[in-house]
Amino acid sequence: MSQKAWDARKKIICELVSDSIYVPMKEKEMAAFMQVAKEDREDFRAILRELLEEGKLALTPKAKYVKGNGRALTGTFISHAKGFGFVEIEGRKEDLYIPEDKTGGAFHKDTVEVALLPECEGKRQEAQVVRIVARGMKQIVGTYDRAKEHYGFVVPDNNKLPQDIFVPKEHSKGAMSGHKVVVDITDYGNDRKSPEGRVVEILGHINDPGVDIMSIVRGYELPVEFSTKIMNQVERVSQEVSEADMAGRRDLRDVVMVTIDGEDAKDLDDAVSVAFDGERYRLGVHIADVTNYVQENSALDREALKRGTSVYLVDRVIPMLPHALSNGICSLNAGSDRLALSCLMTVEPDGEISDYEICESVIRVDKRMSYTVVKELLEDEGLAEREEAYGQYKELVPMFREMEKLAAILREKRRKRGSIDFDFPECKILLDRDGHPTEIKPYERNVATDIIEDFMLAANETIAQHFYWMELPFVYRIHDVPDGERIQKLAAFINNFGYYMKAVGRAGQKTSGEEVHPKEIQKLLAKIAGTPEEPMISRLALRSMKQAKYSVDCSGHFGLACPYYCHFTSPIRRYPDLQIHRIIKEQLRGRLKEERIAHYREILPEVAKHSSETERRAEEAERETDKLKKVEYMEERIGEEYDGVISGITSFGIYVELPNTVEGLIHVSKLPGDFFRYDESRYEMVGDATGKSYKLGMPVRVRVEDCDRFNRTIDFSIA
């Protein structure tokens, strides 16, 4: 069919469906009505598909064509184990629901084009997949089950995938039942046929030590090994700082400074120094100059960008940069000359940073300190003199005391402007040699962790503000204002407890609640501190927040209540920090000319987007490995009773969190003594006959009933 005839037919179809007397028709009916010849039916189908993609046509639930309401939308398909799915579209508040018969053969994580279906009152907007733009998953990790002599199936670890993967014997690579395998998808299947694949790697048997974690690593497509080319490049990097490296840098080797990290940290990328002259504090934050060893667009740089971040799993670290760099020349090891980027700040007694300088430096750390030792030195004044083991730190104690005072001043300044501090416990899972969990304990914040956090925040803000006002391309860390609807829900809910939260409109006028200032959330958290409702309200406040991300637009950081923020302090483990170090150095050296500015304007949006995505991926993988080991830990404690608090409520049950951060579900059918329903407006589970209710944050005693390693779930019952 010629282009002219094609366009003419498109026009006729659009006119037909726009006619007031048009009755919705199926494809076959429309073709008959328009007298389309049999040999033209394929072209006719393609024209209808094109009109759907353009949004000029839409489909009813019964597959009849009606007039469309705009261009087809593009998003990511998220499948569900029951066959239906959702499509996430950037910028759209709510996902689109895709009924099982409207998925169009889409597979989990595919990029798809969808046409909206007519809206049904009170229901989520439905849509139909009209085209698969790009496949999102090329490989799947799962457990091989040799069903018959000539074939087997792989049961995916990802429980969002509704079907097992069929594997012919000749493509099984000799896998046996119970093997964890990686499968290349060779055919995505359809309504009548299972997806098909080829085993490309056998990770080991499901019960072998470490295979469970490696399955998660491969499932999230986390790159583990570095290529030979990259390792050769790393081997050529000098492990000593030469005179040539130091040329033109500020020599800060005489400045007393320390690193303060966890006992087991090896990649030390930040050192701190503090001095007080009786009037003002001089705070130095010195960050490893990683860009000196990772040249832009080198194989090493491209690999670091691809990884985006180091991933800290329960039994291993998958580094962004090879250990030879991150634990070697880039690590600020005590007593060694190291290249750094230093942010030297003058801080007034009220916490205001009145002056600062950013410079390339050469430093020499005096002592490698741990959070535990610094905490003990600060909390027990006589420790340095009294104990032989601590005597080596005696001369540093006065600086640690000034650090403690300065950190408190900076924290108070942040508190006054409205910075929010959610203090939910994180955990550390201890494993034995076989990878079996032996203990789960919450991480404890202390005076030393607070010192480092406060100093890093000060440096990150200072750097971001400096480059914002220079109007140069940059990567900022942003945290958007919470969604107005969620804040209104939170405000309505806390009214039940006699609390009030002020919201403002875009122009600053009071309204029914369009935006909220972070100070309002902070004031709310202060009011509820120590009350029975504190756990519940603080959890709901946290859930009303958006996720922080990287962006080239400096739109501010809501949680920190500051207009300028970036990540500058961890270039060994985060790519955005590495990227902005390059920009800082080029600006300091006067090399940010028009050509380089244009270069950064072009590449930074993708760097920011990709870094946000790899950060999410790392967080999800870390969360999944923690969940897995928590289930394994609780398997040996079935039947035992614990005190916990209700951490979540849904229509199907209540989640309870134990003091060691383990979370389990009590199914609604297992709640004793009544028939319970979920009251969404009050976040409560309420009994029909007794009126008994279970609320967020309420203490409960539970019994461990069951653990499921495959789904990584724990079932509790009321004890």
Side-chain angles (χ1 to χ4, degrees), residues 489 493 540 649 677-685:
K489 274 189 182 176
F493 178 71
L540 291 175
I649 302 181
R677 297 179 197 275
Y678 176 43
D679 182 344
E680 193 177 354
S681 64
R682 297 177 65 86
Y683 301 98
E684 287 179 19
M685 193 69 85

Side-chain angles (χ1 to χ4, degrees), residues 47-341:
I47 288 169
L48 290 176
R49 194 161 58 240
E50 193 172 289
L51 287 167
L52 278 172
E53 288 168 15
E54 291 170 1
K56 290 172 181 168
L57 287 184
L59 280 163
T60 69
K62 292 185 175 174
K64 293 186 177 184
Y65 287 91
V66 293
K67 187 180 177 183
N69 53 2
R71 177 163 280 281
L73 301 164
T74 303
T76 305
F77 180 76
I78 305 299
S79 67
H80 189 279
K82 291 183 177 172
F84 58 84
F86 300 91
V87 169
E88 296 175 346
I89 294 171
E90 201 173 328
R92 191 184 176 99
K93 265 202 262 183
E94 204 173 47
D95 301 341
L96 301 171
Y97 173 72
I98 313 294
E100 190 176 354
D101 60 339
K102 300 282 188 289
T103 60
F107 210 76
H108 186 55
K109 293 269 184 83
D110 284 353
T111 302
V112 296
E113 271 187 5
V114 294
L116 299 179
L117 296 170
E119 286 190 48
C120 298
E121 206 173 314
K123 275 188 169 182
R124 186 193 287 257
Q125 173 67 61
E126 294 188 1
Q128 168 167 354
V129 174
V130 294
R131 185 165 78 93
I132 295 164
V133 178
R135 291 293 186 182
M137 296 186 85
K138 305 282 195 297
Q139 287 188 335
I140 280 172
V141 178
T143 308
Y144 185 77
D145 180 12
R146 189 173 166 183
K148 298 280 183 184
E149 181 65 30
H150 300 297
Y151 63 87
F153 287 92
V154 171
V155 182
D157 283 356
N158 190 333
N159 56 19
K160 282 186 164 66
L161 300 176
Q163 292 172 290
D164 298 342
I165 314 298
F166 175 79
V167 179
K169 184 185 177 184
E170 62 271 21
H171 293 155
S172 68
K173 214 173 183 181
M176 304 302 289
S177 290
H179 271 146
K180 280 282 182 190
V181 297
V182 182
V183 179
D184 271 352
I185 303 172
T186 54
D187 184 339
Y188 288 84
N190 53 40
D191 298 342
R192 296 173 299 282
K193 182 184 165 201
S194 291
E196 198 167 311
R198 174 193 292 112
V199 174
V200 292
E201 188 180 353
I202 298 171
L203 300 175
H205 193 272
I206 194 167
N207 295 325
D208 292 347
V211 168
D212 51 0
I213 302 287
M214 186 46 76
S215 300
I216 293 172
V217 168
R218 296 308 305 271
Y220 280 97
E221 297 178 1
L222 296 169
V224 180
E225 303 301 328
F226 289 95
S227 69
T228 309
K229 183 180 179 182
I230 287 167
M231 294 314 293
N232 288 341
Q233 196 175 324
V234 171
E235 275 177 31
R236 291 195 293 272
V237 173
S238 168
Q239 289 302 310
E240 298 292 330
V241 174
S242 67
E243 287 297 323
D245 287 332
M246 292 190 244
R249 286 176 176 264
R250 177 77 60 83
D251 192 340
L252 299 176
R253 285 175 289 183
D254 291 338
V255 175
V256 176
M257 62 180 72
V258 293
T259 58
I260 308 177
D261 291 275
E263 276 85 353
D264 49 2
K266 295 182 179 69
D267 50 351
L268 316 178
D269 51 12
D270 57 275
V272 288
S273 58
V274 166
F276 183 57
D277 64 8
E279 287 184 27
R280 298 177 183 84
Y281 289 92
R282 307 272 185 245
L283 167 61
V285 173
H286 315 275
I287 308 299
D289 185 359
V290 180
T291 57
N292 195 75
Y293 308 100
V294 182
Q295 306 305 316
E296 184 177 25
N297 219 18
S298 63
L300 187 53
D301 181 47
R302 288 196 298 273
E303 182 67 19
L305 172 59
K306 179 179 149 192
R307 293 178 180 228
T309 180
S310 294
V311 186
Y312 295 84
L313 302 179
V314 67
D315 69 337
R316 71 195 77 194
V317 176
I318 302 172
M320 182 179 84
L321 296 169
H323 288 306
L325 270 185
S326 57
N327 299 356
I329 189 67
C330 292
S331 187
L332 305 181
N333 301 331
S336 302
D337 289 351
R338 289 291 184 258
L339 304 181
L341 274 182

